[in-house]
Structures are given as C-alpha cells and as structure tokens.
Amino acid sequence: MPTSPIFWAAFALLLFWAVGAHNRLVRLRSSVVQAFGGLDAHVQRLLAMLAECDAAHADDEHVADARRALQAAATQLGASLAVARAKPLKPDATAALATGRDALDGAWQALMRAREDEAGPAAVAPWKQQWDEHQAHARLAVQQFNEAAGQYNHAIAQFPPVLLAWMSGFKPARLL
C-alpha cells in the first residue's frame, strides 16, 4: 500500500471531488423532480377545470362527440400524468405526457369550435379565458421543468461527471 503523502493527498482530493460531484448530480436530479411537481399541480388543476366544463355542457347533445373526445383525451392525459409522476425523469413517461397534452389541446379546440357554432362566442368566452390562464401557468411550469432538466442533462454529459453518472445509473431526462 502506498505511503506517500502525495498519493494520499491526490486520493483524498479525488474522493472529495467525487462525493461533491455526485451530490451535485443528485441535487440537479432532485430539482427536475421538484419542477415536475409544479407541472403536475397545474395539469391537475387543468383536468379539474375540464371536468367543470364537461359538467356544464352535459345536456348539450350537439357537442356530445366533442365532449367524448375531450373526455378520452383527459383520461389519456391523466393516465400519462400518473406514469410520469412516478418517474418524471423517464423519457417514455414524459413523451407520453407531451402526447397527452397535445391530444387534449386538439380535443379542447374541437369542443370550443362545436360549442361556439351552437351557442355563439359568448357561451365559450369564460371557458376560453380559463383555458388560456391554465395554459399560461402550464407553459411556465413546462419552462421551469425544461430548464431544470436541461441543467441536469448538461451536468451528466460533462466529463468527468459523465463517469459518475454512468456508475450511478443517471440517465438523461427528456424535455417537454
């Protein structure tokens, strides 16, 4: 076993660097999960608003197909949100969440067009306003998630932390 003070100093320096770098990666990973929590809260509020909208249009037969499509898209988004909530850093989970958000947006637009054709613009104005507010909050939450995920991805791609990330099993996060 080497007894040189230089060897032990270099070993201690390497060990302290590795512990510090690993802790930084763990903190960055935690910030991605925390940022996902904010996005999760906004999506849940959006789903609650959609349930209110659905209840408000429950007796309107002219928009029944659009309502069913919106319900299906909301169910898909809720299921993908549950999967992503369990593993927010898993690329497949965030990809499914992004797909669910896109499907919901299309179904929402179709419902609003159908409702507007039936009852006029004044009937959908309050719902559109609520939707726009939810979308603005969700965009901010997505931006925060993407920034946190970008910092995490950048950190695990740098050399030499990439070696620690590989040994620890850290995988890149997918942006939304």
Side-chain angles (χ1 to χ4, degrees), residues 54-65:
D54 186 49
H57 298 129
D59 59 344
D60 193 348
E61 291 297 321
H62 298 289
V63 295
D65 290 338

Side-chain angles (χ1 to χ4, degrees), residues 86-141:
K87 298 184 180 195
L89 291 165
K90 191 172 179 183
D92 293 346
T94 51
L97 184 61
T99 301
R101 282 181 36 230
D102 293 342
L104 183 72
D105 186 47
W108 171 261
Q109 298 303 329
L111 176 65
M112 288 297 104
R113 278 192 303 274
R115 186 73 177 124
E116 192 171 29
D117 290 345
E118 182 63 29
V124 297
W127 294 111
K128 282 185 175 183
Q129 181 181 2
Q130 285 185 30
W131 173 266
D132 291 342
E133 289 172 8
H134 282 287
Q135 290 300 93
H137 291 293
R139 274 192 299 275
L140 181 60

Side-chain angles (χ1 to χ4, degrees), residues 137-153:
H137 291 293
R139 274 192 299 275
L140 181 60
V142 166
Q143 180 183 3
Q144 290 171 345
F145 174 81
N146 285 342
E147 287 174 7
Q151 290 174 353
Y152 167 75
N153 289 344

